[in-house]
Amino acid sequence: EAGVTQSPTHLIKTRGQQATLRCSPISGHTSVYWYQQALGLGLQFLLWYDEGEERNRGNFPPRFSGRQFPNYSSELNVNALELEDSALYLCASSSRTSGFTGELFFGEGSRLTVL
Amino acid sequence: LAKTTQPISMDSYEGQEVNITCSHNNIATNDYITWYQQFPSQGPRFIIQGYKTKVTNEVASLFIPADRKSSTLSLPRVSLSDTAVYYCLVVNYGSARQLTFGSGTQLTVLP
């Protein structure tokens, strides 16, 4: 069974540009989560989508946004990129049960570098 | 949300048993202790979860005393491939969607 897949693996942008990151959850999982992990920092919760709706967001500015598609895949958009947005962006998915108990399944991440 | 405290780093040698202790003094009745493992440039991986006493799976054991104010992750006979960051999380069922990861413990297994 395929795990959570993310694309692109690496992305280089310049300040002010927009970045789009994509995530495909494990088959059967309806929830998708986005986390940011900046170098030397812990994982910070960004967004949670379930059944196509945004259910919760972390303490990030509105230029971080996303959506979940009918097939449960998701994309994260970061507008007006700033240097401090450089980080590993991790997507995770869960079933209804595993999400309830905190068992999330993470992808390998997309490394965004802002120059 | 209960705050967790764990050592920043630990070193061990191959074949040894490693115990990583996490304190969570403000743990609530509905909270579960959960551990994740993260290798460099990869997403975290769920290892084990427990409420009280002892839980064991094919990867690790989790020991939780009666007062639940701390927990110990035990990795038997570690190998070089166990070098990773280990995160202790307190998860509240129902509001578990927003996991709070602390700094974790960097475990380095030496040959």
Side-chain angles (χ1 to χ4, degrees):
Chain A
E1 182 183 304
V4 176
T5 57
Q6 294 187 242
S7 64
T9 307
H10 294 86
L11 187 61
I12 299 175
K13 293 284 187 178
T14 55
R15 258 189 326 180
Q17 286 189 313
Q18 178 199 42
T20 298
L21 309 176
R22 296 178 177 82
C23 172
S24 292
I26 291 172
S27 177
H29 286 187
T30 60
S31 281
V32 168
Y33 313 78
W34 288 95
Y35 282 78
Q36 181 197 65
Q37 187 171 33
L39 195 62
L41 299 178
L43 286 86
Q44 304 292 321
F45 169 76
L46 262 167
L47 290 159
W48 166 34
Y49 291 95
D50 182 63
E51 300 282 356
E53 299 286 331
E54 181 182 302
R55 303 295 183 180
N56 198 9
R57 69 179 288 130
N59 189 24
F60 281 83
R63 57 191 186 82
F64 286 85
S65 65
R67 54 181 171 164
Q68 186 179 34
F69 300 99
N71 66 354
Y72 303 115
S73 66
S74 175
E75 68 179 27
L76 174 70
N77 295 296
V78 188
N79 294 318
L81 285 166
E82 300 178 2
L83 295 179
E84 53 265 33
D85 296 333
S86 293
L88 182 67
Y89 288 83
L90 291 159
C91 173
S93 73
S94 74
S95 65
R96 192 165 303 277
T97 304
S98 71
F100 185 78
T101 61
E103 183 176 358
L104 305 189
F105 298 80
F106 285 83
E108 298 207 341
S110 292
R111 171 77 60 189
L112 172 64
T113 302
V114 183
L115 303 175
Chain B
L1 210 61
K3 178 178 161 57
T4 60
T5 303
Q6 52 184 123
I8 294 173
S9 65
M10 293 181 69
D11 289 344
S12 180
Y13 291 96
E14 279 191 290
Q16 289 190 330
E17 178 184 75
V18 170
N19 295 309
I20 306 175
T21 298
C22 177
S23 67
H24 26 78
N25 291 317
N26 297 323
I27 192 166
T29 304
N30 294 333
D31 290 341
Y32 285 71
I33 296 109
T34 307
W35 286 80
Y36 277 79
Q37 173 194 56
Q38 185 179 25
F39 297 112
S41 297
Q42 291 187 25
R45 181 177 73 109
F46 176 94
I47 302 176
I48 197 166
Q49 184 180 75
Y51 187 79
K52 61 180 178 181
T53 62
K54 177 183 173 182
V55 179
T56 297
N57 62 23
E58 65 278 4
V59 175
S61 294
L62 179 58
F63 299 90
I64 305 166
D67 67 4
R68 303 198 331 119
K69 292 184 184 300
S70 67
S71 59
T72 299
L73 175 73
S74 181
L75 305 172
R77 296 180 298 283
V78 294
S79 65
L80 297 176
S81 62
D82 292 315
T83 294
V85 177
Y86 292 82
Y87 295 97
C88 168
L89 292 80
V90 169
V91 171
N92 183 282
Y93 278 21
S95 61
R97 310 307 186 128
Q98 184 173 335
L99 299 183
T100 301
F101 287 83
S103 302
T105 298
Q106 170 66 59
L107 171 66
T108 301
V109 180
L110 304 167

